[in-house]
Amino acid sequence: MTHQELWQSALGEIEINISKANFITWFKQTTILDKKGGRVVVGVPNGFSKEWLQNKYHKLILKSLRNIFNDIKEIEFSIYSPSNNPANENNNTDSKTLNQKGLIIQDEQLGFKEFEVNKDTNLNPKYTFDTFIVGSFNELARAAAQGIVEKLGTLYNPLFIYGGVGLGKTHLLQSIGNAVSKKNKNTKIKYISTDKFTSELVEALYNGQIKDFKNKYQKIDLLIIDDIQFLTGKEKTQEEFFHIFNGLYQKNKQIILSSDRPPKAIATLEERLRSRFEGGMIADISYPDIETRTAILKIKAKEKNINLPDDIINYLATNISKNIRELEGALNRIIALVQLNSILPSASQIESIVTSIAAPPKKSISYKTILSLVAEFYDMKVDEMINKSRRRDIVFPRQVAMYLMRKELKTSYPFIGEKLGGRDHTTVMYACDKLTKELEKNNNLKQEIDSIKEKLYI
Ligand code: ADP
Ligand code: MG
């Protein structure tokens, strides 16, 4: 891979993480000047860009480069003069040449829109229902979301959407906000991540402004809180959130929450909050099937004005199955290569893109890793899980650990029994059997186990 190819692939990733306007402003005239060992020198046109990239985008750039070569450890920014850089000719690839090869449907520059996140609402107008692709995996969540736009505060309150990473929760939440705002400009909307909410709260407490903080939230008509699983273990935040929640709920104000798991699986969530979350509508987003993944890729390629052959689309759809963000990332990297070289990337290039994105090399895992991941997921200590307790909230994670040790490591029943507190092999057999049966009918459980499994192989 040349420096230029590396940079184009990284740019493909960076592009999906920031607004088009920022992307063009800050990344248009950048390049890779040098790569030696773990150190990459990024060329920037002037001192101002240098500072800006260093301060604002250093992490994102490093992450995007490391997705391609994980040995990259360090980035240096260096000013260069774009006109002297031979690689730059490629940046200005004439869209006409691409057109002649039939890859680009129309000039991309004509079609792009700039997206600015609204500072009051935190809504990004790029997320809309129009661009949200629906399949059986997400239709319930989408229908609930659209229902809410029609009957704010009265149909489902709260709405709780859960599903794994990269499956469209944020997109859907933001679409609701954007649709409501379009319908009625006067509705007071706020979208906020749980992390941001927590840090705002901590700051308000620190500055003695907790009253203002609460008042601000009580004026909201539609409150959207993303990734609520991060409330885990934050007691003070949970408490304040509980009061804000109640205040809004009593006034029929709409509350929407998302999480990577259902309320019952968020371990150290206060019971009163859990029952509030369960009191409204709960909708899940599962994994898209192969037809939907193909459709998503085709639609996204079309949005980017690129015509990709079916075999490439099928290859991506087959090999990336659990994460729409990854599907999009792979597609963007391929598009970047097409734009750079005016020809389709080779099969091996595509393969290496997919491997770097979707299939981290399988490492050999030990039973201890399983124990600690299961314990972490259910928010308890490994010792607690192993001890003699028969409490359901402990027995269940223990059974999950048994099941995973059997399925993932193929270890014997007696071995598993021994490692889980000296239990009899029949207890282990019973647990594995029970979970296998349960998994056939219980989609929530399947997602819980999948998300533990995902972490096993990172
Ligand atoms: P999550 O919040 O569940 O981690 P996101 O909403 O951030 O996932 O989605 C990841 C990426 O995939 C975003 O770029 C989003 O636009 C895209 N995406 C997810 N689901 C869909 C969908 N159903 N249709 C179109 N794009 C989607
Ligand atoms: Mg999200």
Side-chain angles (χ1 to χ4, degrees):
M1 193 185 249
T2 65
H3 292 163
Q4 224 34 40
E5 281 170 349
L6 169 63
W7 192 229
Q8 287 301 322
S9 300
L11 288 180
E13 174 99 9
I14 291 167
E15 191 179 359
I16 53 170
N17 283 292
I18 64 178
S19 77
K20 190 99 190 175
N22 275 331
F23 181 72
I24 291 187
T25 312
W26 302 112
F27 289 91
K28 202 165 122 201
Q29 293 192 314
T30 54
T31 187
I32 288 187
L33 296 173
D34 195 19
K35 171 179 183 293
K36 271 208 194 80
R39 186 162 154 276
V40 170
V41 181
V42 175
V44 297
N46 52 52
F48 187 58
S49 300
K50 180 175 166 180
E51 206 183 311
W52 195 271
L53 287 171
Q54 228 156 18
N55 291 339
K56 298 256 179 196
Y57 294 117
H58 182 265
K59 245 173 134 174
L60 176 62
I61 296 171
L62 185 62
K63 188 173 148 247
S64 307
L65 285 168
R66 283 178 59 89
N67 276 340
I68 307 162
F69 287 115
N70 62 9
D71 62 331
I72 295 176
K73 296 206 167 49
E74 203 187 325
I75 298 174
E76 189 187 306
F77 296 94
S78 166
I79 299 170
Y80 82 110
S81 158
S83 54
N84 297 337
N85 180 14
N88 195 47
E89 282 162 26
N90 287 327
N91 284 343
N92 299 327
T93 309
D94 186 349
S95 57
K96 274 198 207 115
T97 25
L98 295 173
N99 258 335
Q100 282 160 6
K101 309 205 180 201
L103 293 170
I104 297 219
I105 302 163
Q106 67 168 70
D107 190 341
E108 228 226 321
Q109 296 298 321
L110 294 175
F112 89 74
K113 289 199 202 106
E114 290 187 11
F115 295 113
E116 281 293 335
V117 174
N118 181 305
K119 288 204 175 58
D120 274 339
T121 61
N122 296 328
L123 291 172
N124 182 336
K126 84 172 172 183
Y127 293 118
T128 60
F129 284 117
D130 291 345
T131 54
F132 191 77
I133 300 155
V134 189
S136 55
F137 72 110
N138 62 7
E139 64 186 348
L140 176 67
R142 207 273 307 247
Q146 286 191 319
I148 278 193
V149 176
E150 297 306 315
K151 293 193 171 135
L152 204 65
T154 51
L155 183 61
Y156 311 120
N157 207 9
L159 171 64
F160 189 103
I161 291 177
Y162 74 89
V165 275
L167 290 175
K169 300 182 296 294
T170 298
H171 188 139
L172 194 56
L173 259 47
Q174 288 254 345
S175 302
I176 302 176
N178 282 319
V180 170
S181 144
K182 201 168 159 197
K183 211 174 147 201
N184 185 349
K185 291 259 169 302
N186 297 325
T187 313
K188 277 190 101 43
I189 305 170
K190 189 166 184 78
Y191 165 94
I192 191 162
S193 67
T194 300
D195 274 344
K196 185 94 191 299
F197 178 82
T198 306
S199 59
E200 268 191 21
L201 175 76
V202 170
E203 200 178 305
L205 285 169
Y206 182 77
N207 295 328
Q209 290 169 335
I210 189 72
K211 247 198 169 135
D212 297 345
F213 177 83
K214 285 186 190 168
N215 285 340
K216 185 176 85 180
Y217 276 90
Q218 288 309 327
K219 292 197 189 105
I220 293 169
D221 301 307
L222 166 58
L223 176 62
I224 306 173
I225 303 212
D226 208 350
D227 289 318
I228 199 85
Q229 73 273 11
F230 293 126
L231 276 186
T232 300
K234 297 178 180 133
E235 279 164 38
K236 184 70 188 158
T237 314
Q238 290 194 19
E239 157 138 19
E240 294 302 344
F241 180 63
F242 181 74
H243 294 302
I244 290 172
F245 184 105
N246 281 347
L248 291 176
Y249 183 81
Q250 277 155 13
K251 288 184 276 184
N252 278 337
K253 304 297 187 186
Q254 181 71 50
I255 300 151
I256 306 175
L257 309 152
S258 87
S259 163
D260 66 348
R261 58 195 90 163
K264 77 163 173 50
I266 309 179
T268 53
L269 187 65
E270 273 188 59
E271 203 43 51
R272 54 182 185 171
L273 266 181
R274 191 192 317 272
S275 69
R276 283 286 185 279
F277 294 172
E278 282 173 344
M281 166 80 172
I282 300 185
D284 74 321
I285 299 184
S286 59
Y287 298 123
D289 55 33
I290 177 88
E291 289 82 12
T292 315
R293 299 201 295 274
T294 310
I296 288 174
L297 286 166
K298 286 193 170 156
I299 293 169
K300 298 225 177 225
K302 192 151 179 248
E303 277 169 13
K304 305 221 167 211
N305 302 317
I306 293 273
N307 227 339
L308 288 179
D310 283 349
D311 56 349
I312 295 190
I313 300 267
N314 291 340
Y315 182 82
L316 298 182
T318 312
N319 289 286
I320 305 177
S321 60
K322 301 238 158 78
N323 187 323
I324 297 174
R325 186 182 292 121
E326 288 176 359
L327 267 183
E328 207 173 358
L331 184 71
N332 283 349
R333 282 203 210 166
I334 290 171
I335 291 176
L337 286 177
V338 169
Q339 286 173 333
L340 173 71
N341 301 326
S342 320
I343 51 164
L344 289 169
S346 68
S348 70
Q349 274 175 314
I350 292 177
E351 200 184 313
S352 79
I353 289 174
V354 169
T355 339
S356 75
I357 288 187
K362 284 218 165 185
K363 58 175 186 190
S364 63
I365 46 169
S366 79
Y367 79 90
K368 286 186 181 154
T369 317
I370 294 188
L371 293 182
S372 64
L373 281 175
V374 172
E376 184 194 65
F377 187 85
Y378 293 101
D379 216 47
M380 59 180 65
K381 299 217 165 61
V382 172
D383 290 348
E384 265 179 281
M385 192 168 73
I386 292 179
N387 74 16
K388 296 267 173 264
S389 171
R390 287 171 165 277
R391 269 171 43 202
R392 200 193 123 70
D393 58 336
I394 293 182
V395 172
F396 182 71
R398 188 186 293 144
Q399 290 177 335
V400 169
M402 290 175 173
Y403 171 85
L404 283 172
M405 280 167 78
R406 178 71 187 169
K407 286 279 169 233
E408 300 303 306
L409 304 181
K410 318 265 179 277
T411 28
S412 73
Y413 292 122
F415 176 86
I416 299 172
E418 185 196 313
K419 296 299 172 201
L420 277 150
R423 290 182 162 77
D424 193 70
H425 75 277
T426 52
T427 310
V428 183
M429 283 169 77
Y430 168 79
C432 293
D433 198 40
K434 181 187 145 204
L435 262 102
T436 309
K437 286 196 185 116
E438 180 77 20
L439 274 170
E440 279 165 19
K441 48 186 198 226
N442 185 339
N443 204 27
N444 296 352
L445 177 63
K446 185 173 168 333
Q447 289 214 348
E448 280 175 35
I449 295 210
D450 281 346
S451 80
I452 299 173
K453 270 204 273 190
E454 238 165 61
K455 296 206 183 97
L456 271 180
Y457 294 104
I458 291 175

